[in-house]
């Protein structure tokens, strides 16, 4: 199979190319940065009104000037890196100097960033041109991208359905070719779920792999992390390698590097996968989802993997209660910082107020009990990884739901007792500090709505997941490259 960097390319539509294909075409002067920027802007202006994925888009004239400057650098023989001239939009949790950082909250609509987040600075150093921010739910809470400031982002495959979240804008922009590659962030599946619902790769890195800076706390708030989303395995690896690495300002950042990009990749042959499924009935899952995931696992078995059903070995109910304590402890301070603004309580979504108010009676002893439970859960996960290379779960417990809903109240006849209970399958990688890959697994019986398989590796084994993504893509690259329906015109939004 030829390398994606060396096969002949059709350059007539730059937006159809992978990020690495665009990188090669720009570096070899087959496409100019202005041509690339113009093509993406034209597609954005045609399709973004339909999907509402990008927000706070910079003026075309300013972006074309930046593209011209990038072309002038190439003419002088200076190439910044593999992202030279590539348009990039930053999830609205991240800081991009000169752009508002709103967190999807109308109270923060004028909070313009003065500096870049560390991962944004690294992408800029690799050559990208920041063009916009990507939409997200208010404060990143809930896996459905809607807010009162910008509105709802709809699914790339069906505009009546949710895009997922909180990196929903990033996922839809990527799936609809408004961006060549995308960054997201992940606390409780915020990167994995929208990747699954839009037929993309999404990788939640190990805790500390992508340092978070600037942040108000650098020691306790370690559940959320930034990470890459991509349409191809090679693009996913390239973006992760750009984002990772220690920084002296971030004390818990991982120091060891990922293996070199040209290191031999693992195949599925002999790979041991423990299938956790619905955790022996604990997770409520809509019909068809487990079947799609199991079909993907059978494909891996046909390529040499060894897949075994696996009991969790921990109490999911106890882990959930500990998770609630950690989550409200980490979410509440961000909400509290905004509640001091005039009229804030009346304008903030009820789920954010619930997280804040639930945390007000939280004691340090209660938090430490939850931390002790988390530690025992981590130890059990390590015992699983002594037997298995990967643990598998569905990424999501529901198919993309009606975009007019705020969140699913029931799954398969079971009531959801919190706004995020329907996302429970994603918390295990987060709570273990482990990396997790959202891998495109298949579609519903109508062939219309995507679903993903979640593969969790041992803490710090991020490189294994990059190998898995590449091995999966190699099995059927044509299926993985399947594109969502192409809307005819922006007038359809009416």
């Amino acid at each position: 199979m030829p390398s994606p960097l060396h096969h002949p390319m059709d350059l007539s539509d730059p937006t159809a190319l992978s990020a690495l294909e665009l990188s090669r075409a720009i570096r070899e002067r087959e496409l100019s940065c202005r041509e690339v920027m113009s093509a993406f802007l034209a597609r954005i202006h045609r399709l973004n009104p339909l999907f509402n994925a990008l927000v706070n888009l910079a003026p075309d004239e300013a972006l074309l000037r930046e593209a011209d400057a990038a072309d002038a650098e190439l003419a002088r023989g200076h190439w910044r890196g593999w992202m030279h001239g590539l348009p990039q939009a930053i999830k609205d949790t991240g800081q991009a100097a000169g752009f508002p950082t709103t967190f999807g909250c109308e109270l923060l609509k004028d909070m313009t960033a003065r500096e870049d987040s560390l991962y944004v600075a690294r992408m800029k150093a690799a050559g990208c041109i920041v063009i916009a921010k990507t939409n997200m739910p208010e404060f990143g809470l809930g896996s459905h991208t809607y807010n009162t400031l910008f509105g709802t982002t709809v699914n790339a495959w069906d505009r009546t359905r949710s895009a997922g979240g909180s990196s929903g804008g990033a996922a839809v922009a990527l799936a609809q070719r408004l961006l060549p590659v995308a960054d997201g962030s992940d606390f409780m599946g915020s990167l994995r779920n929208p990747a699954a619902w839009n037929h993309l790769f999404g990788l939640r890195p190990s805790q500390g792999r992508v340092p978070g800076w600037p942040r108000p706390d650098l020691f306790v708030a370690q559940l959320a992390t930034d990470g890459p989303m991509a349409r191809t395995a090679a693009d996913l690896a390239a973006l992760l390698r750009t984002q990772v690495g220690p920084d002296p300002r971030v004390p818990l950042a991982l120091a060891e590097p990922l293996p070199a990009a040209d290191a031999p990749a693992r195949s599925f042959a002999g790979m041991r996968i423990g299938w956790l499924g619905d955790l022996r009935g604990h997770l409520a899952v809509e019909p068809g989802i487990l079947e799609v995931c199991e079909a993907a696992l059978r494909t891996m078995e046909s390529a040499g993997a060894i897949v075994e059903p696996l009991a969790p070995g921990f109490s999911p109910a106890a882990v959930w209660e500990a998770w609630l304590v950690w989550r409200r402890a980490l979410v509440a301070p961000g909400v509290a910082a905004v509640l001091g603004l005039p009229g804030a309580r009346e304008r903030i979504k009820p789920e954010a107020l619930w997280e804040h108010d639930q945390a007000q009676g939280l004691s340090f002893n209660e938090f430490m009990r939850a931390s002790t439970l988390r530690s025992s859960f981590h130890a059990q996960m390590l015992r699983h990884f002594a037997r298995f290379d990967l643990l598998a779960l569905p990424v999501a417990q529901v198919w993309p739901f009606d975009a007019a809903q705020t969140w699913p109240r029931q799954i398969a006849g079971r009531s959801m007792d919190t706004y995020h209970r329907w996302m429970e399958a994603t918390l295990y990688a987060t709570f273990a500090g482990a990396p997790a890959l959202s891998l495109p697994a298949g579609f519903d019986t109508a062939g219309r709505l995507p679903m993903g398989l979640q593969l969790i590796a041992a803490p710090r084994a991020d490189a294994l997941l990059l190998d898995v993504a590449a091995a999966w893509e190699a099995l059927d690259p044509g299926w993985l490259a399947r594109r969502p329906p192409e809307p005819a015109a922006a007038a359809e939004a009416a």
Side-chain angles (χ1 to χ4, degrees):
M1 183 175 177
S3 163
L5 290 178
H6 295 97
H7 65 73
M9 294 184 292
D10 178 1
L11 304 180
S12 60
D13 179 9
T15 68
L17 301 178
S18 74
L20 286 174
E21 287 172 335
L22 276 175
S23 178
R24 172 198 159 191
I26 289 172
R27 188 174 192 185
E28 297 186 2
R29 313 297 292 277
E30 297 170 334
L31 284 172
S32 69
C33 298
R34 172 175 270 267
E35 288 173 321
V36 170
M37 183 64 72
S38 296
F40 276 95
L41 289 175
R43 188 166 177 86
I44 287 166
H45 291 315
R46 182 168 69 87
L47 295 183
N48 196 54
L50 298 174
F51 294 96
N52 194 35
L54 302 180
V55 298
N56 282 325
L57 182 69
D60 287 15
E61 299 77 12
L63 296 175
L64 290 170
R65 282 196 299 271
E66 288 196 62
D68 289 341
D71 282 326
E73 285 186 71
L74 281 175
R76 296 193 300 269
H78 180 242
W79 186 66
R80 298 183 206 166
W82 77 275
M83 299 186 81
H84 190 111
L86 298 189
Q88 180 76 3
I90 307 303
K91 184 180 175 181
D92 212 7
T93 48
Q95 306 244 52
F99 288 83
T101 308
T102 75
F103 292 91
C105 178
E106 60 180 82
L107 294 161
L108 302 176
K109 64 183 177 66
D110 298 320
M111 298 293 290
T112 300
R114 297 182 180 179
E115 60 185 337
D116 294 322
S117 292
L118 178 58
Y119 78 96
V120 176
R122 287 172 170 175
M123 292 190 294
K124 283 186 175 181
C128 80
I129 298 173
V130 175
I131 65 170
K133 304 299 285 292
T134 55
N135 201 20
M136 57 177 280
E138 188 175 22
F139 297 114
L141 301 180
S143 194
H144 178 27
T145 298
Y146 72 96
N147 56 64
T148 57
L149 178 57
F150 298 116
T152 302
T153 300
V154 293
N155 194 285
W157 292 78
D158 182 340
R159 288 185 285 123
T160 70
R161 301 300 181 108
S162 170
S166 60
S167 308
V172 173
L174 182 59
Q176 278 293 344
R177 275 63 177 174
L178 310 186
L179 297 173
V181 73
D183 61 83
S185 65
D186 191 293
F187 191 133
M188 190 179 179
S190 287
L191 187 153
R192 288 165 280 166
N193 188 46
W197 282 4
N198 289 279
H199 193 59
L200 302 166
F201 289 113
L203 197 153
R204 176 197 163 86
S206 294
Q207 180 176 306
R209 179 70 73 192
V210 178
W213 187 91
R215 288 182 181 172
D217 167 66
L218 296 171
F219 289 94
V220 179
Q222 300 294 309
L223 294 185
T225 180
D226 302 298
M229 306 173 78
R231 297 189 298 265
T232 73
D235 287 355
L236 188 79
L239 186 55
L240 180 64
R241 293 180 189 283
T242 301
Q243 296 173 333
V244 303
D247 184 280
R249 297 166 294 186
V250 186
L252 300 182
L254 297 183
E256 75 270 13
L258 293 174
D262 57 356
R266 280 194 62 176
S267 70
F268 284 115
M271 194 173 290
R272 299 165 299 160
I273 303 174
W275 171 228
L276 290 166
D278 61 2
L279 301 179
R280 298 290 175 94
H282 173 78
L283 298 175
V285 183
E286 281 191 337
I289 291 175
L290 294 176
E291 290 79 2
V292 165
C293 293
E294 287 166 352
L297 290 169
R298 285 194 296 273
T299 301
M300 293 175 191
E301 282 186 300
S302 70
I306 302 162
V307 180
E308 298 178 21
L310 177 64
F314 54 83
S315 166
V319 171
W320 173 254
E321 291 302 319
W323 168 263
L324 289 181
V325 171
W326 268 83
R327 183 173 171 89
R328 67 176 65 117
L330 299 186
V331 169
V335 179
V338 179
L339 277 175
L341 299 174
R345 180 166 279 272
E346 293 71 34
R347 298 165 69 186
I348 290 175
K349 67 192 288 185
E351 293 83 3
L353 295 177
W354 178 81
E355 293 279 14
H356 172 269
D357 295 346
Q358 289 285 313
Q360 297 315 297
L362 181 64
S363 71
F364 181 72
N365 284 340
E366 185 180 359
F367 182 80
M368 285 306 298
R369 284 195 296 272
S371 186
T372 300
L373 189 285
R374 182 187 178 191
S375 298
S376 65
F377 163 73
H378 177 267
Q380 176 58 39
M381 291 289 277
L382 292 184
R383 285 190 285 273
H384 284 325
F385 288 122
R387 293 180 54 207
F388 296 98
D389 299 294
L390 301 167
L391 304 179
L393 283 159
V395 175
Q397 295 163 235
V398 296
W399 296 98
F401 55 82
D402 189 331
Q405 270 188 282
T406 52
W407 48 274
R409 265 57 178 185
Q410 283 195 336
I411 300 178
R414 288 162 61 177
S415 295
M416 300 292 101
D417 55 356
T418 74
Y419 76 97
H420 46 27
R421 189 66 181 246
W422 62 277
M423 302 159 56
E424 190 172 354
T426 63
L427 74 84
Y428 303 104
T430 300
F431 224 29
L437 175 69
S438 180
L439 178 139
F443 292 80
D444 65 357
T445 53
R448 188 169 56 94
L449 298 176
M451 183 50 62
L453 175 67
Q454 181 183 189
L455 295 173
I456 306 171
R460 306 191 180 198
D462 308 66
L464 172 60
L465 294 179
L466 296 179
D467 287 348
V468 168
W472 182 245
E473 185 177 57
L475 293 179
D476 192 348
W479 174 82
L480 198 61
R482 179 180 169 188
R483 294 178 60 156
E486 182 81 7
E492 295 177 28

